[in-house]
Structure formats: structure tokens, C-alpha cells
Amino acid sequence: MKFAILHHGGCQGRFHYRIDASGKSHLDMSESEPGEHAACLGIQLEGNADVTAPNAAQLTALRKLLLALKSRYPHIQIGGHRQIRGAATTCPGKTFPLTSIRDWAGSELIIERDAALQDLVDRQYRP
């Protein structure tokens, strides 16, 4: 996978993951199935982020999901639907904190992924 593309509930389509308003992450289709964009995993946060920003539970769940994806796909990049060439949309929404998620993905996500991997290795060798 090359990209994880973020969407909000106001965007229609086939997405691999959906994060509901309570912060629960759902696998809606297999990662091996094609979604809306080639070589991409689609992640949709419920709600219309053109009107209301995703809540704290959704953003926490999104970070956990992106951490898991980054562990499986080390080179995956994270972006919003509106960043796809030719996409005439505001998705993932005008109030979606896309810049802060991308900043986190470019720095803290890597640190968190490496710490989780180190913990996994350490647990294999602890008495």
C-alpha cells in the first residue's frame, strides 16, 4: 500500500476502515480489496467534518489505526482525499485537523511505531 487516504462521513464510497463517533474502528472491507483509490487504504471518520470536527475519541482511534498500518506498511503515506490529484472536494472536511495529523505522522508516529516494535522484541526475550 502506498497511501492511507482520510475521508469524512460526508464523502461517499468504499472504504476499508470506518471510525464511528464513539471512537471504535471497524474493518468494512479487506485491505486486499480495491477501494476508491488504487494502491490506497481508505479510512472514513463518521460525521461531516465540513461542519463539525472529529471528536477526541475518533482522533485517538485514528492515530492507533495509523500506527498499526505504519507497522504493517512502513512506507505508507498519509493524506486527505482533497490532496489526490484531480479531486475537487474538501474531504476529509474543512474542520478536519489534517495538518496536525500529517505532522504527527511525519514525526511522532515513527517514534511510536519504533517503540512498539522494540517492546515486541523485548517481550520475546524477557524471562
Coordinates of all heavy atoms in Angstrom, one line a residue, residues 28-100:
D28 N -14.4 -2.5 7.3 CA -15.6 -2.6 6.4 C -15.3 -3.4 5.2 O -16.2 -3.9 4.6 CB -16.1 -1.2 6.1 CG -16.8 -0.6 7.2 OD1 -17.1 -1.3 8.2 OD2 -17.1 0.6 7.1
M29 N -14.0 -3.6 4.8 CA -13.7 -4.4 3.7 C -12.2 -4.8 3.8 O -11.4 -4.1 4.4 CB -14.0 -3.8 2.3 CG -13.3 -2.5 2.1 SD -14.0 -1.8 0.6 CE -12.5 -1.9 -0.5
S30 N -11.9 -5.9 3.3 CA -10.5 -6.4 3.4 C -9.5 -5.4 2.7 O -9.8 -4.8 1.7 CB -10.4 -7.8 2.6 OG -9.1 -8.2 2.5
E31 N -8.3 -5.4 3.3 CA -7.3 -4.5 2.7 C -6.9 -4.9 1.3 O -6.4 -4.2 0.6 CB -6.1 -4.5 3.6 CG -6.3 -3.7 4.9 CD -5.1 -3.7 5.8 OE1 -4.0 -4.1 5.4 OE2 -5.2 -3.2 7.0
S32 N -7.1 -6.2 1.0 CA -6.8 -6.7 -0.3 C -7.8 -6.3 -1.4 O -7.5 -6.4 -2.6 CB -6.6 -8.2 -0.3 OG -7.9 -8.8 0.1
E33 N -9.0 -5.9 -1.0 CA -10.0 -5.4 -1.9 C -9.7 -4.0 -2.4 O -9.3 -3.2 -1.6 CB -11.4 -5.4 -1.3 CG -11.9 -6.8 -1.0 CD -13.3 -6.7 -0.4 OE1 -14.2 -6.3 -1.1 OE2 -13.4 -7.1 0.8
P34 N -10.0 -3.7 -3.7 CA -9.8 -2.3 -4.1 C -10.8 -1.4 -3.5 O -12.0 -1.7 -3.5 CB -9.9 -2.4 -5.6 CG -10.7 -3.7 -5.9 CD -10.4 -4.6 -4.7
G35 N -10.4 -0.2 -3.1 CA -11.3 0.8 -2.6 C -11.5 1.9 -3.6 O -11.4 1.6 -4.8
E36 N -11.7 3.0 -3.2 CA -12.0 4.2 -4.0 C -10.7 4.6 -4.8 O -10.9 5.2 -5.9 CB -12.5 5.4 -3.2 CG -13.9 5.2 -2.7 CD -14.9 5.0 -3.9 OE1 -15.0 5.8 -4.8 OE2 -15.6 3.9 -3.9
H37 N -9.6 4.4 -4.3 CA -8.3 4.9 -4.9 C -7.3 3.7 -5.0 O -7.1 3.0 -4.0 CB -7.7 6.0 -4.1 CG -8.7 7.1 -3.8 ND1 -9.2 8.0 -4.8 CD2 -9.4 7.4 -2.7 CE1 -10.1 8.8 -4.3 NE2 -10.2 8.5 -3.0
A38 N -6.7 3.5 -6.1 CA -5.8 2.4 -6.4 C -4.6 2.5 -5.4 O -4.1 3.6 -5.1 CB -5.3 2.5 -7.8
A39 N -4.1 1.4 -4.9 CA -3.0 1.3 -4.0 C -3.1 2.1 -2.7 O -2.1 2.5 -2.1 CB -1.7 1.6 -4.7
C40 N -4.4 2.3 -2.3 CA -4.6 3.1 -1.1 C -5.6 2.4 -0.2 O -6.4 1.6 -0.6 CB -5.3 4.4 -1.5 SG -4.3 5.5 -2.5
L41 N -5.4 2.6 1.1 CA -6.4 2.2 2.1 C -7.3 3.4 2.4 O -6.7 4.5 2.7 CB -5.7 1.7 3.3 CG -4.9 0.4 3.2 CD1 -4.2 0.1 4.4 CD2 -5.8 -0.8 2.7
G42 N -8.6 3.2 2.4 CA -9.5 4.3 2.7 C -9.9 4.2 4.1 O -10.3 3.2 4.6
I43 N -9.9 5.4 4.8 CA -10.3 5.5 6.2 C -11.3 6.6 6.3 O -11.0 7.7 6.0 CB -9.1 5.8 7.2 CG1 -8.0 4.7 7.0 CG2 -9.6 5.9 8.6 CD1 -6.7 5.1 7.7
Q44 N -12.5 6.2 6.8 CA -13.6 7.2 6.9 C -13.9 7.4 8.4 O -14.1 6.5 9.1 CB -14.8 6.7 6.2 CG -15.9 7.8 6.2 CD -17.2 7.2 5.6 OE1 -17.7 6.2 5.9 NE2 -17.7 8.0 4.6
L45 N -13.9 8.7 8.8 CA -14.4 9.0 10.1 C -15.9 9.5 10.0 O -16.2 10.4 9.2 CB -13.6 10.1 10.7 CG -12.2 9.7 11.3 CD1 -11.2 9.4 10.2 CD2 -11.7 10.7 12.3
E46 N -16.7 8.9 10.8 CA -18.2 9.2 10.7 C -18.3 10.7 11.1 O -17.6 11.2 11.9 CB -19.0 8.4 11.6 CG -19.1 6.9 11.1 CD -20.0 6.1 12.0 OE1 -20.5 6.5 13.1 OE2 -20.3 5.0 11.6
G47 N -19.3 11.3 10.5 CA -19.7 12.7 10.8 C -19.2 13.6 9.6 O -18.4 13.1 8.8
N48 N -19.8 14.7 9.5 CA -19.5 15.6 8.4 C -18.5 16.7 8.9 O -18.8 17.6 9.6 CB -20.8 16.3 7.9 CG -20.5 17.2 6.7 OD1 -19.4 17.6 6.4 ND2 -21.6 17.4 6.0
A49 N -17.2 16.5 8.6 CA -16.1 17.3 9.1 C -16.1 18.6 8.3 O -15.2 19.5 8.6 CB -14.8 16.6 9.1
D50 N -17.0 18.9 7.4 CA -17.1 20.2 6.8 C -17.9 21.1 7.8 O -17.7 22.3 7.7 CB -17.9 20.2 5.5 CG -17.0 19.9 4.3 OD1 -15.8 20.2 4.4 OD2 -17.5 19.4 3.3
V51 N -18.6 20.5 8.7 CA -19.4 21.2 9.7 C -18.8 21.1 11.1 O -18.7 22.1 11.8 CB -20.9 20.7 9.7 CG1 -21.7 21.4 10.7 CG2 -21.5 20.8 8.3
T52 N -18.5 19.9 11.5 CA -18.0 19.6 12.9 C -16.8 18.8 12.9 O -16.7 17.7 12.2 CB -19.1 18.9 13.7 OG1 -20.3 19.6 13.6 CG2 -18.7 18.7 15.1
A53 N -15.8 19.2 13.6 CA -14.5 18.4 13.6 C -14.7 17.0 14.3 O -15.6 16.9 15.1 CB -13.5 19.2 14.4
P54 N -13.9 16.1 13.9 CA -14.0 14.8 14.5 C -13.7 14.9 16.0 O -12.9 15.8 16.4 CB -12.8 14.0 13.9 CG -12.6 14.7 12.6 CD -12.9 16.1 12.8
N55 N -14.3 14.1 16.9 CA -14.1 14.2 18.3 C -12.8 13.6 18.8 O -12.1 12.9 18.0 CB -15.3 13.7 19.1 CG -15.5 12.2 18.8 OD1 -14.6 11.4 18.9 ND2 -16.8 11.8 18.6
A56 N -12.5 13.8 20.0 CA -11.2 13.2 20.6 C -11.1 11.7 20.5 O -10.1 11.2 20.1 CB -11.1 13.7 22.0
A57 N -12.2 11.0 20.7 CA -12.2 9.6 20.6 C -11.9 9.1 19.2 O -11.2 8.1 19.0 CB -13.6 9.0 21.1
Q58 N -12.5 9.8 18.2 CA -12.2 9.4 16.8 C -10.7 9.7 16.4 O -10.1 8.9 15.8 CB -13.1 10.2 15.9 CG -14.6 9.8 15.9 CD -15.4 10.6 15.0 OE1 -15.5 11.8 15.2 NE2 -16.0 10.0 14.0
L59 N -10.2 10.8 16.9 CA -8.8 11.1 16.6 C -7.8 10.1 17.3 O -6.8 9.8 16.7 CB -8.5 12.6 16.9 CG -9.3 13.6 16.0 CD1 -9.0 15.0 16.5 CD2 -8.9 13.4 14.6
T60 N -8.2 9.7 18.5 CA -7.3 8.8 19.2 C -7.4 7.4 18.4 O -6.3 6.8 18.2 CB -7.8 8.6 20.6 OG1 -7.6 9.8 21.3 CG2 -7.0 7.5 21.4
A61 N -8.6 7.0 18.0 CA -8.7 5.8 17.3 C -8.0 5.8 15.9 O -7.4 4.9 15.5 CB -10.2 5.4 17.1
L62 N -8.0 7.0 15.3 CA -7.4 7.2 14.0 C -5.8 7.0 14.2 O -5.2 6.4 13.4 CB -7.7 8.6 13.4 CG -6.9 8.9 12.1 CD1 -7.2 8.0 11.0 CD2 -7.2 10.4 11.7
R63 N -5.3 7.6 15.2 CA -3.9 7.5 15.5 C -3.5 6.1 15.8 O -2.4 5.6 15.2 CB -3.4 8.4 16.6 CG -3.4 9.9 16.3 CD -2.9 10.7 17.4 NE -2.9 12.1 17.0 CZ -3.9 13.0 17.4 NH1 -4.9 12.6 18.1 NH2 -3.9 14.2 17.0
K64 N -4.3 5.3 16.5 CA -4.0 3.9 16.8 C -4.0 3.1 15.5 O -3.2 2.2 15.2 CB -5.0 3.3 17.8 CG -4.7 3.8 19.2 CD -5.8 3.2 20.1 CE -5.6 3.7 21.5 NZ -6.6 3.2 22.5
L65 N -5.0 3.4 14.6 CA -5.1 2.7 13.4 C -4.0 3.0 12.5 O -3.4 2.1 11.9 CB -6.5 3.0 12.7 CG -6.7 2.4 11.3 CD1 -6.6 0.9 11.3 CD2 -8.0 2.9 10.7
L66 N -3.6 4.3 12.4 CA -2.4 4.6 11.6 C -1.2 4.0 12.1 O -0.3 3.6 11.3 CB -2.3 6.2 11.5 CG -3.5 6.9 10.7 CD1 -3.4 8.4 10.8 CD2 -3.5 6.4 9.2
L67 N -1.0 3.9 13.4 CA 0.2 3.2 14.0 C 0.2 1.8 13.5 O 1.3 1.3 13.1 CB 0.1 3.3 15.5 CG 1.2 2.6 16.2 CD1 2.6 3.1 15.9 CD2 1.0 2.7 17.7
A68 N -0.9 1.1 13.6 CA -1.0 -0.3 13.1 C -0.6 -0.4 11.6 O 0.1 -1.3 11.2 CB -2.3 -0.9 13.4
L69 N -1.2 0.5 10.8 CA -0.9 0.4 9.4 C 0.5 0.7 9.1 O 1.1 0.1 8.2 CB -1.9 1.4 8.7 CG -3.3 1.1 8.7 CD1 -4.1 2.2 8.0 CD2 -3.6 -0.3 8.0
K70 N 1.1 1.7 9.8 CA 2.5 2.0 9.6 C 3.4 0.9 10.0 O 4.5 0.7 9.4 CB 2.9 3.3 10.4 CG 4.2 3.9 10.0 CD 4.2 4.5 8.7 CE 5.4 5.4 8.4 NZ 5.5 5.9 7.1
S71 N 3.0 0.1 10.9 CA 3.8 -1.1 11.3 C 3.7 -2.2 10.2 O 4.7 -2.9 10.0 CB 3.3 -1.7 12.6 OG 3.5 -0.8 13.7
R72 N 2.6 -2.3 9.6 CA 2.4 -3.3 8.5 C 3.0 -2.8 7.2 O 3.5 -3.6 6.4 CB 1.0 -3.7 8.4 CG 0.5 -4.6 9.5 CD -0.8 -5.4 9.1 NE -1.9 -4.6 8.6 CZ -2.8 -3.9 9.4 NH1 -2.6 -3.9 10.7 NH2 -3.8 -3.3 8.9
Y73 N 2.8 -1.5 6.9 CA 3.3 -0.9 5.7 C 4.2 0.2 6.0 O 3.8 1.4 6.1 CB 2.0 -0.4 4.9 CG 1.0 -1.4 4.7 CD1 -0.2 -1.4 5.4 CD2 1.1 -2.4 3.7 CE1 -1.2 -2.4 5.2 CE2 0.1 -3.4 3.5 CZ -1.0 -3.3 4.3 OH -2.0 -4.3 4.1
P74 N 5.5 0.0 6.2 CA 6.4 1.0 6.7 C 6.5 2.2 5.8 O 6.8 3.3 6.3 CB 7.8 0.3 6.8 CG 7.4 -1.2 6.9 CD 6.1 -1.3 6.1
H75 N 6.2 2.1 4.5 CA 6.4 3.2 3.6 C 5.1 3.9 3.3 O 5.1 4.8 2.4 CB 7.1 2.8 2.3 CG 8.4 2.2 2.5 ND1 9.5 3.0 2.9 CD2 8.9 0.9 2.5 CE1 10.6 2.2 3.1 NE2 10.2 1.0 2.8
I76 N 4.0 3.5 3.9 CA 2.7 4.1 3.7 C 2.7 5.6 4.0 O 3.3 6.0 5.0 CB 1.6 3.4 4.4 CG1 0.2 3.7 3.7 CG2 1.5 3.7 5.9 CD1 -0.9 2.7 4.2
Q77 N 2.1 6.4 3.2 CA 2.0 7.9 3.4 C 0.5 8.2 3.8 O -0.4 7.5 3.3 CB 2.5 8.6 2.2 CG 3.9 8.4 1.9 CD 4.4 9.2 0.7 OE1 3.9 10.3 0.5 NE2 5.2 8.6 -0.1
I78 N 0.3 9.2 4.5 CA -1.0 9.6 5.0 C -1.4 10.9 4.3 O -0.6 11.9 4.3 CB -1.0 9.7 6.5 CG1 -0.7 8.3 7.1 CG2 -2.3 10.2 7.0 CD1 -0.1 8.3 8.4
G79 N -2.6 10.9 3.8 CA -3.1 12.2 3.2 C -4.6 12.2 3.3 O -5.3 11.3 3.6
G80 N -5.1 13.4 2.9 CA -6.6 13.6 2.8 C -7.0 13.4 1.4 O -6.3 13.6 0.4
H81 N -8.3 13.1 1.3 CA -8.9 12.9 -0.1 C -8.7 14.1 -1.0 O -8.4 14.0 -2.1 CB -10.4 12.6 0.2 CG -11.2 12.4 -1.1 ND1 -12.5 12.3 -1.1 CD2 -10.8 12.2 -2.4 CE1 -13.0 12.1 -2.3 NE2 -12.0 12.1 -3.1
R82 N -8.8 15.3 -0.4 CA -8.6 16.5 -1.2 C -7.2 16.7 -1.8 O -7.0 17.5 -2.7 CB -9.0 17.7 -0.4 CG -8.1 18.1 0.7 CD -8.5 19.4 1.4 NE -7.8 19.6 2.6 CZ -8.4 19.7 3.8 NH1 -9.7 19.4 4.0 NH2 -7.6 19.9 4.9
Q83 N -6.3 15.9 -1.3 CA -4.9 16.0 -1.8 C -4.6 15.2 -3.0 O -3.6 15.3 -3.6 CB -3.9 15.6 -0.7 CG -3.9 16.6 0.5 CD -3.0 16.2 1.6 OE1 -3.2 15.1 2.1 NE2 -2.1 17.0 1.9
I84 N -5.6 14.3 -3.4 CA -5.4 13.5 -4.6 C -5.6 14.3 -5.8 O -6.6 15.1 -5.9 CB -6.5 12.3 -4.5 CG1 -6.2 11.4 -3.3 CG2 -6.4 11.5 -5.8 CD1 -7.2 10.3 -3.1
R85 N -4.7 14.2 -6.7 CA -4.8 15.0 -7.9 C -6.1 14.8 -8.6 O -6.6 13.7 -8.8 CB -3.6 14.5 -8.9 CG -3.5 15.4 -10.1 CD -2.3 15.0 -10.9 NE -1.2 14.9 -10.1 CZ 0.0 14.4 -10.4 NH1 0.2 13.9 -11.6 NH2 1.0 14.4 -9.5
G86 N -6.7 15.9 -9.0 CA -8.0 15.9 -9.7 C -9.2 15.8 -8.8 O -10.3 15.8 -9.3
A87 N -9.0 15.7 -7.5 CA -10.1 15.6 -6.5 C -10.6 17.0 -6.2 O -9.9 17.8 -5.6 CB -9.7 14.9 -5.3
A88 N -11.8 17.3 -6.7 CA -12.4 18.6 -6.4 C -13.4 18.4 -5.2 O -14.6 18.2 -5.3 CB -13.2 19.0 -7.6
T89 N -12.8 18.4 -4.0 CA -13.5 18.1 -2.8 C -12.8 18.8 -1.6 O -11.6 19.1 -1.7 CB -13.6 16.6 -2.5 OG1 -14.4 16.3 -1.3 CG2 -12.2 15.9 -2.4
T90 N -13.6 19.0 -0.5 CA -13.0 19.5 0.7 C -12.7 18.3 1.7 O -12.1 18.5 2.7 CB -14.0 20.4 1.4 OG1 -15.2 19.7 1.7 CG2 -14.3 21.6 0.6
C91 N -13.0 17.1 1.3 CA -12.8 15.9 2.1 C -11.3 15.7 2.5 O -10.5 15.9 1.6 CB -13.3 14.7 1.3 SG -13.3 13.1 2.3
P92 N -11.0 15.5 3.7 CA -11.8 15.0 4.8 C -12.5 16.0 5.6 O -13.0 15.7 6.7 CB -10.8 14.3 5.7 CG -9.5 15.0 5.5 CD -9.6 15.5 4.1
G93 N -12.7 17.2 5.1 CA -13.6 18.2 5.7 C -12.8 19.4 6.1 O -11.6 19.4 6.4
K94 N -13.5 20.5 6.1 CA -13.0 21.9 6.4 C -12.5 22.0 7.8 O -11.5 22.7 8.1 CB -14.0 23.0 6.1 CG -14.3 23.1 4.7 CD -15.5 24.1 4.4 CE -15.9 24.1 3.0 NZ -17.1 24.9 2.8
T95 N -13.1 21.2 8.8 CA -12.7 21.3 10.2 C -11.8 20.1 10.6 O -11.4 20.1 11.7 CB -13.9 21.3 11.1 OG1 -14.6 20.0 11.0 CG2 -14.9 22.4 10.8
F96 N -11.5 19.2 9.6 CA -10.6 18.1 10.0 C -9.2 18.6 10.2 O -8.6 19.3 9.4 CB -10.6 17.1 8.8 CG -10.0 15.8 9.1 CD1 -10.7 14.7 9.6 CD2 -8.6 15.6 8.9 CE1 -10.1 13.5 10.0 CE2 -8.0 14.4 9.2 CZ -8.8 13.4 9.8
P97 N -8.5 18.1 11.2 CA -7.2 18.6 11.5 C -6.1 17.9 10.7 O -5.2 17.3 11.3 CB -7.0 18.3 13.0 CG -7.9 17.1 13.2 CD -9.1 17.3 12.3
L98 N -6.2 18.0 9.4 CA -5.3 17.2 8.5 C -3.8 17.6 8.7 O -3.0 16.7 8.7 CB -5.7 17.4 7.1 CG -5.0 16.6 6.0 CD1 -5.1 15.1 6.3 CD2 -5.5 17.0 4.6
T99 N -3.6 18.9 8.9 CA -2.2 19.3 9.0 C -1.6 18.7 10.3 O -0.4 18.2 10.3 CB -2.1 20.8 9.1 OG1 -2.6 21.4 7.8 CG2 -0.6 21.3 9.3
S100 N -2.3 18.7 11.4 CA -1.7 18.2 12.6 C -1.6 16.7 12.6 O -0.6 16.1 13.1 CB -2.6 18.6 13.9 OG -3.8 18.0 13.8

